[in-house]
Amino acid sequence: MTPGEALAATGVDARAAGPGDAVAGVTPRWVALPESTGEVALVMRAAAEHGLAVVPAGGGTKLSWGYAPTRCDLLLDTRRMNRVLEHEAGDLVVRVQAGVTAAALASALGEAGQQLALDVMAEEATVGGVLATAAAGPRRLRHGTPRDLLIGITVVLADGTIARSGGKVVKNVAGYDLGKLFTGSLGTLGVITEATFRLHPLPASRAWVTATSPDPRVLTAVATLAGSQLEPSALELDRPGTHGPLTVAALFEGVAAAERAKAAAELLGDGSAISSGPPAWWARLPGERPAPDPAELLQETPGGHPTEDGPGPRLTESSPGDRSLEERVPQGGGFLLELRVPPAFAGRALAAVAWASDDAGGPPVHVRGSAASCVLHLAVPVDTPPGAAEIFVTSLRSEVAGDGGRLVVWTAPPEAAARLDRFGPVGAATLMRRVKERFDPEGRMSPGRLAGAPPAGSGT
Amino acid sequence: MTPAPADLSGLSGRFLAMLGPHGVITDPVRLRTYECDGLTYHRATPAVVVLPETAEQVAAVVRACHETGTPFVARGSGTGLSGGALPRSDGVLIVTSRMRRILEIDVENRRAVVEPGVTNLAITEAARPYGYYYAPDPSSQQICSIGGNVAENSGGAHCLKYGFTVNHVLAVELVTPEGEIVLLDAMDPGYDLLGAFIGSEGTLGIATKITVRLSREPETVTTLLAAFPDVETGGVAVSAIIGAGIVPAAIEMMDALAIEAAEAAVRCDYPPGAGAVLIVELDGPHAEVAHEFARVDAICRESGAFAVRVADDPARRAAIWKGRRSAFAAVGRISPAYLVQDGVVPRTALPAVLAGIERLSARYGIRVANVFHAGDGNLHPLVLFDDAEEGAGERAELVSGEILDLCLEHGGSITGEHGVGVDKSRYMPKMFTAEDLDTMQLVRCAFDPRNLSNPGKIFPTPRLCGEVPGVRKGVHPLVASGEADLF
Ligand SMILES: Cc1cc2nc3c(=O)[nH]c(=O)nc-3n(C[C@H](O)[C@H](O)[C@H](O)COP(=O)(O)OP(=O)(O)OC[C@H]3O[C@@H](n4cnc5c(N)ncnc54)[C@H](O)[C@@H]3O)c2cc1C
Ligand SMILES: Cc1cc2nc3c(=O)[nH]c(=O)nc-3n(C[C@H](O)[C@H](O)[C@H](O)COP(=O)(O)OP(=O)(O)OC[C@H]3O[C@@H](n4cnc5c(N)ncnc54)[C@H](O)[C@@H]3O)c2cc1C
């Protein structure tokens, strides 16, 4: 049997791949469209028998994150796994398939007055993709990141083994937490097929306070706010120009949100404004086009969303599975970096960004992110010369190292990508490599994606 | 009967050279102080105990163990309730009680850096002058160590709103089972090994330095005690509170027998005639708390509370909590012996499970006092028996075990915070499939290929790391049971 025949013999929907299915420039040979954990296992067993390299994909919005895979024979598209399996409102718990989009989940839970307290950052982003990238938005300040809300997970390993950890209760310490391990794994350990999350009630009201200041001194007020008893849910900053003015925004949630926002506005000083909606840049990565209207997206995926009375209908064959990745991936293609420092060093981090840009000949850098947790995203234009990008990364990384900072290069144009150390030094690199070798001894899961975090050439 | 300790005199000699005479215990009488943790019916005398003072010393000890293939067990304060710190008679017990320095209270970064032997409460006390505290608050917080908390992913009464240890630890420096010092940091990209390490019960290495998040003290704390005729009506109130979109800091319930014990032990003066009491604590900004308190108060009364007390100052709050905090120890007043169980069910299954426990109690003639974290479905049934009575201990064990079966039947867990340890490893196959457990072993093998770090805990007879599992054919039990592919 050829690999193609073996895939067909599983009975799981699959098709030949086209150039539109390329993952960071690497075109797979097949695309599989499983609908359940069991189907993923069938596909993975067939892939194991034929030594196929597999890259899982969710919404495809962040397939360019990390190194390009060194091989990709099979793209495992999870978007038909889009059902809400269990939602017990009284338990504040939901179990979903990994291909459910964040937006669809939000609307399903919203009907019960509940939410998964993660920010919906890209309407097509799936639960699996959010976990695999460990992506979190502004409300990380109050609710943490995906790993803090995940209480159970089901995964399928490279050899087709189905494994589960955690459960559907909020409090549970039985066994190792595989969910944590798979958070941030970028598809290199296995396929996430189901996830169970703890939920929160939707807040009664929300209020934002925004203030724009000519320089980073406003961060002192941000620090005061972060240490205050007003309990903001989020504290974000946006600085479109490398040396330009800075906008900060705080979110308050709850019955007395407006009252707390008023107190925060006093702290932030003259020129701060209170609003009932977020600023346009809220929960968006810098350098990406603004999100499309969610209503539009819902129309594009008929039948793909769970309905009130339970799981959604199965998708028909011509549903969004046929929109190629190319059509789904946000355009831009520039550099996206993630800078983390301990919160007290936010001001120094912004200064370091400006210096590093000067060192590199002045490419404009757009900084945006969580001011109080100090997780900042940096966008650098696509036409920045590779040499300048390299100087920027090296210089910024060494600048923040003294403060215990980290710099990750999530995306880079192909010419520059080859020259950049994407992850920088990672203390636990050897342990990560060993975990990878145990879970995927043949190196067939998204090979190369995390290379560099573990020492180069380690096969990870 | 505990097995006689093995002769590890060669290793002990090396430890003496590394740690000096104060850092090594080989005297049989002194060794016996370490023969059990809080779960006293499992005992073993360690072959040797070491008391290192630095991470480098821990690493040197572990390297020597690794070279010689000697198993080792970490121990903090020994308050664990699942036998996690049960020593090995053929191994080394590494005790962190001399690693008790608070290295840094970093208010600007809202974090503290501490050694593993520091007690949970000591962190809060060191942070309090700045208006901060360490949120996870196990009832044992005065004595349990932060290293033990990390190993058990400990919770506390307030984890309903604030989460567990894993949500409050920013970095762990650990000595791997091969004796290397490695930093796991939440800021690093890649697999969340920090998250995987927390809750691994000492099986993936020894934490030697821990960075925890400090939380700002809330502006207001209000505590309410509501007395109900029975547990069922109290349960109705809990559902209504959650249903109203309120997430209190804590919701705790005690049944009549637990109240009786607490009254006997500490005279907590709960409203007379209560078949159940509910403690609800709300905290946060004034305006929020005032609004939510009014709702909770109304809900309790509407659901059938016949008395409601309120405390918004520390003294009165302490009075309300007094009974709840003493509950475990208090049952000693009404029963010669007891077992503490720790199981979890989805909150909505609480009424059914409590009724089930009552039936078990009647069937075996064994009293069960219930104290539980009602907000998150974490039950702590106290199974009371008289150890002088023939067969009572065995019956109590049966009741305790069947309570876990009940939890599993309702989609719950065999442990919410006390860990698996040695006590519950035999229940792991009831909760997880062989594939699930084998996959967890992959993590174990990545960290500890020789299976030397706290072996025999959590997992029932694991596969050796070199062994390849048989090719799995057929249907996964989850699929067969209809759970995995329900729709
Ligand atoms: C502050 C912030 C703001 C953001 N704003 C935006 C924004 O404006 N626009 C935007 O597009 N995105 C934004 N994101 C990122 C967004 O959250 C990601 O799109 C999302 O996390 C990826 O989901 P996806 O389904 O598209 O994953 P994909 O792009 O399909 O996959 C991403 C990675 O996860 C792996 N993966 C996917 N599914 C699985 C699975 N089931 N099992 C194992 N591995 C899997 C893939 O192999 C790949 O490595 C933002 C993130 C942050 C932190
Ligand atoms: C009265 C009482 C009330 C309790 N209440 C609660 C509660 O409310 N919530 C709760 O969660 N628990 C509670 N517990 C259980 C217990 O206190 C916790 O599990 C605690 O975290 C154990 O800490 P310890 O220092 O005593 O650890 P130990 O008992 O010494 O060890 C526990 C486990 O941790 C490992 N370990 C210890 N130190 C390290 C280290 N540095 N690195 C790696 N592994 C290590 C040990 O090997 C062992 O497996 C209670 C216990 C008692 C006796």
Side-chain angles (χ1 to χ4, degrees), chain B residues 92-160:
Chain B
V92 179
L93 187 71
I94 303 175
V95 182
T96 61
S97 58
R98 296 217 179 127
M99 299 176 78
R100 285 230 165 123
R101 284 179 304 162
I102 293 180
L103 302 172
E104 198 184 352
I105 297 288
D106 180 356
V107 177
E108 289 198 320
N109 284 310
R110 303 188 297 277
R111 65 184 183 184
V113 185
V114 301
E115 290 186 335
V118 169
T119 64
N120 173 297
L121 189 60
I123 303 175
T124 285
E125 278 170 353
R128 196 178 285 138
Y130 308 98
Y132 284 82
Y133 73 111
Y134 175 61
D137 60 341
S139 310
S140 51
Q141 68 178 155
Q142 289 194 13
I143 35 173
C144 65
S145 72
I146 188 71
N149 291 179
V150 165
E152 301 287 1
N153 188 17
S154 299
H158 295 84
C159 58
L160 178 62

Side-chain angles (χ1 to χ4, degrees), chain A residues 184-223:
Chain A
S185 63
L186 284 183
T188 61
L189 290 181
V191 185
I192 300 165
T193 60
E194 286 175 23
T196 308
F197 294 97
R198 72 170 292 191
L199 303 174
H200 284 83
L202 275 172
S205 65
R206 292 195 167 120
W208 279 262
V209 186
T210 343
T212 300
S213 149
D215 62 56
R217 265 177 298 182
V218 68
L219 290 176
T220 316
V222 168

Side-chain angles (χ1 to χ4, degrees), chain A residues 41-297:
Chain A
L42 289 174
V43 170
M44 294 306 290
R45 270 186 227 153
E49 274 161 30
H50 294 271
L52 304 185
V54 181
V55 174
T61 65
K62 289 297 161 282
L63 284 176
S64 55
W65 281 26
Y67 287 97
T70 51
R71 275 170 68 209
C72 174
D73 303 311
L74 175 66
L75 188 74
L76 195 137
D77 187 327
T78 59
R79 283 172 310 139
R80 286 194 186 172
M81 299 175 47
N82 60 358
R83 295 177 204 90
V84 173
L85 299 173
E86 237 182 307
H87 174 211
E88 185 58 69
D91 291 329
L92 286 158
V93 164
V94 73
R95 186 163 69 94
V96 298
Q97 288 187 308
V100 165
T101 64
L105 183 56
S107 73
L109 298 173
E111 282 164 23
Q114 299 184 347
Q115 57 165 340
L116 173 57
L118 294 169
D119 301 275
V120 177
M121 294 169 297
E123 277 64 21
E124 295 200 354
T126 59
V127 160
V130 168
L131 289 170
T133 53
R139 289 189 301 164
R140 65 186 313 139
L141 181 63
R142 173 116 338 260
H143 296 292
T145 60
R147 52 95 88 174
D148 295 301
L149 298 166
L150 181 71
I151 58 172
I153 197 167
T154 306
V155 297
V156 177
L157 306 188
D159 66 356
T161 300
I162 298 172
R164 186 179 57 106
S165 87
K168 58 176 189 178
V169 284
V170 172
K171 210 169 170 186
N172 179 5
V173 294
Y176 293 155
D177 191 341
L178 300 177
K180 298 284 189 307
L181 203 65
F182 273 71
T183 309
S185 63
L186 284 183
T188 61
L189 290 181
V191 185
I192 300 165
T193 60
E194 286 175 23
T196 308
F197 294 97
R198 72 170 292 191
L199 303 174
H200 284 83
L202 275 172
S205 65
R206 292 195 167 120
W208 279 262
V209 186
T210 343
T212 300
S213 149
D215 62 56
R217 265 177 298 182
V218 68
L219 290 176
T220 316
V222 168
T224 310
L225 196 49
S228 78
Q229 293 171 317
L230 294 170
E231 301 188 3
S233 292
L235 266 169
E236 295 283 296
L237 70 79
D238 182 43
R239 190 183 210 188
T242 320
H243 299 270
L246 199 74
T247 301
V248 297
L251 164 65
F252 293 90
E253 296 180 305
V255 271
E259 223 166 293
R260 288 148 61 206
K262 223 174 279 165
E266 272 164 38
L267 266 173
L268 287 175
D270 296 345
S272 54
I274 299 177
S275 60
S276 57
W281 50 270
W282 187 263
R284 299 283 153 212
L285 290 170
E288 276 183 2
R289 57 164 191 212
D293 182 357
E296 228 171 85
L297 277 168

Side-chain angles (χ1 to χ4, degrees), chain B residues 89-443:
Chain B
S89 55
D90 59 348
V92 179
L93 187 71
I94 303 175
V95 182
T96 61
S97 58
R98 296 217 179 127
M99 299 176 78
R100 285 230 165 123
R101 284 179 304 162
I102 293 180
L103 302 172
E104 198 184 352
I105 297 288
D106 180 356
V107 177
E108 289 198 320
N109 284 310
R110 303 188 297 277
R111 65 184 183 184
V113 185
V114 301
E115 290 186 335
V118 169
T119 64
N120 173 297
L121 189 60
I123 303 175
T124 285
E125 278 170 353
R128 196 178 285 138
Y130 308 98
Y132 284 82
Y133 73 111
Y134 175 61
D137 60 341
S139 310
S140 51
Q141 68 178 155
Q142 289 194 13
I143 35 173
C144 65
S145 72
I146 188 71
N149 291 179
V150 165
E152 301 287 1
N153 188 17
S154 299
H158 295 84
C159 58
L160 178 62
K161 179 168 174 188
Y162 293 103
F164 320 97
T165 303
V166 72
N167 308 112
H168 296 270
V169 171
L170 302 172
V172 166
E173 176 196 85
L174 81 142
V175 169
T176 69
E178 296 180 310
E180 275 173 65
I181 300 179
V182 172
L183 182 70
L184 305 180
D185 193 314
M187 287 206 287
D188 279 333
Y191 315 143
D192 182 3
L193 296 186
L194 176 66
F197 180 81
I198 295 168
S200 63
E201 303 193 24
T203 62
L204 300 181
I206 301 187
T208 49
K209 189 159 77 183
I210 296 147
T211 306
V212 299
R213 187 200 311 283
L214 298 176
S215 304
R216 186 75 171 94
E217 276 170 2
E219 194 175 20
T220 312
V221 183
T222 298
T223 311
L224 171 148
L225 178 102
F228 291 89
D230 49 48
V231 174
E232 288 69 35
T233 44
V236 171
V238 174
S239 295
I241 292 167
I242 303 278
I246 295 170
V247 182
I251 312 186
E252 304 281 304
M253 186 133 66
M254 292 166 72
D255 72 1
L257 197 51
I259 297 168
E260 180 193 327
E263 291 290 357
V266 297
R267 293 199 36 80
C268 47
D269 265 334
Y270 287 167
V277 295
L278 193 62
I279 298 174
V280 183
E281 193 153 283
L282 297 161
D283 68 11
H286 281 314
E288 298 290 331
V289 172
H291 182 274
E292 290 184 341
F293 170 75
R295 289 294 306 275
V296 170
D297 187 50
I299 287 170
C300 285
R301 290 174 202 277
E302 282 158 22
S303 317
F306 63 82
V308 175
R309 288 181 194 164
V310 184
D312 37 25
D313 63 77
R316 284 202 282 175
R317 189 175 329 128
I320 287 184
W321 277 102
K322 190 170 162 189
R324 167 64 186 87
R325 290 214 195 278
S326 72
F328 281 10
V331 290
R333 292 300 185 97
I334 59 165
S335 175
Y338 63 95
L339 303 172
V340 180
Q341 188 48 282
D342 167 40
V344 194
V345 294
R347 213 184 39 73
T348 48
L350 272 175
V353 172
L354 289 171
I357 292 177
E358 217 172 287
R359 280 195 298 274
L360 282 174
S361 167
R363 168 142 51 95
Y364 288 98
I366 291 281
R367 291 188 301 165
V368 179
N370 284 298
V371 178
F372 50 98
H373 307 296
D376 45 34
N378 187 189
L379 297 160
H380 288 309
L382 299 155
V383 183
L384 315 184
F385 64 101
D386 183 350
D387 43 359
E389 182 192 326
E390 175 119 19
E394 288 73 16
R395 291 206 317 279
E397 279 272 6
L398 282 174
V399 170
S400 186
E402 288 190 31
I403 288 175
L404 289 187
D405 291 335
L406 256 173
C407 291
L408 288 177
E409 268 165 41
H410 286 86
S413 168
I414 57 172
T415 171
E417 53 184 16
H418 295 169
V420 178
V422 281
D423 195 38
K424 291 184 175 170
S425 57
R426 65 185 189 282
Y427 293 98
M428 287 291 277
K430 291 192 180 186
M431 184 163 166
F432 295 106
T433 66
E435 285 81 359
D436 300 338
L437 295 174
D438 282 353
T439 304
M440 292 180 193
Q441 280 305 305
L442 297 176
V443 183

